[in-house]
């Protein structure tokens, strides 16, 4: 989407009544039994932070670098807590839209080959915040 975000979620902790201890997790599983007011979520909101993100099925090219992009949420992996969020490649053409939350900084170039210098579907890119609560909006 193109709504200003607070940051990127990186984990949480909560007090479990069933286990009678604090649980640290990469994701909040929901449906657990936390005591009221005992859930703490952690986000990265440093305006200079950079992230490696997967692109969608329509992919990215070198021409998409320095464009602003949105994101979508796919299926999360509850076995390891890895997010299903990915770059919404349908929004790359709107590179001048300062309301989009991320900017493509570069395509991942190391290691070369698979998951490296390739562009196209499911390529990896380095993205930075463009529209986060700790940073002014910027256009291209």
């Amino acid at each position: 989407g193109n709504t200003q975000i607070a940051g990127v979620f990186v984990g949480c902790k909560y007090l479990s009544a069933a286990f009678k201890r604090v649980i640290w997790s990469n994701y909040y599983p929901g449906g657990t039994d936390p005591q009221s007011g005992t859930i703490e979520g952690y986000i990265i909101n440093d305006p200079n932070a950079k992230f490696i993100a997967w692109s969608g099925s329509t992919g990215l090219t070198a021409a998409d670098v320095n464009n602003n992009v949105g994101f979508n949420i796919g299926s999360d992996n509850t076995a390891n807590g890895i997010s299903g969020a990915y770059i919404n490649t349908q929004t790359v053409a709107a590179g001048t839209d300062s309301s989009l939350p991320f900017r493509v900084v570069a395509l991942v170039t190391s290691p070369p080959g698979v998951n490296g210098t390739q562009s196209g579907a499911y390529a990896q890119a380095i993205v930075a915040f463009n529209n986060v609560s700790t940073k002014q909006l910027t256009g291209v």
Side-chain angles (χ1 to χ4, degrees):
N2 56 358
T3 302
Q4 189 175 55
I5 60 175
V8 173
F9 179 84
V10 291
C12 64
K13 72 175 182 178
Y14 57 93
L15 178 61
S16 170
F19 293 108
K20 297 182 178 31
R21 66 181 177 91
V22 172
I23 305 291
W24 293 83
S25 179
N26 290 342
Y27 71 102
Y28 180 66
T32 59
D33 61 343
Q35 299 294 313
S36 177
T38 62
I39 303 168
E40 290 184 26
Y42 300 99
I43 61 170
I44 296 172
N45 63 357
D46 179 346
N48 297 314
K50 292 185 177 54
F51 307 92
I52 294 179
W54 290 98
S55 68
S57 61
T58 56
L60 292 169
T61 67
D64 297 322
V65 173
N66 292 322
N67 282 330
N68 301 334
V69 294
F71 66 95
N72 283 334
I73 303 293
S75 299
D76 298 331
N77 184 333
T78 57
N80 59 20
I82 301 299
S83 170
Y86 61 95
I87 298 169
N88 180 354
T89 53
Q90 302 300 314
T91 63
V92 173
T96 58
D97 186 345
S98 62
S99 66
L100 291 168
F102 296 100
R103 176 181 294 247
V104 178
V105 175
L107 295 179
V108 173
T109 58
S110 179
V114 177
N115 296 333
T117 58
Q118 85 282 9
S119 60
Y122 309 109
Q124 292 182 349
I126 299 171
V127 297
F129 285 128
N130 180 61
N131 185 7
V132 68
S133 58
T134 57
K135 184 174 186 177
Q136 295 290 330
L137 307 179
T138 59
V140 172

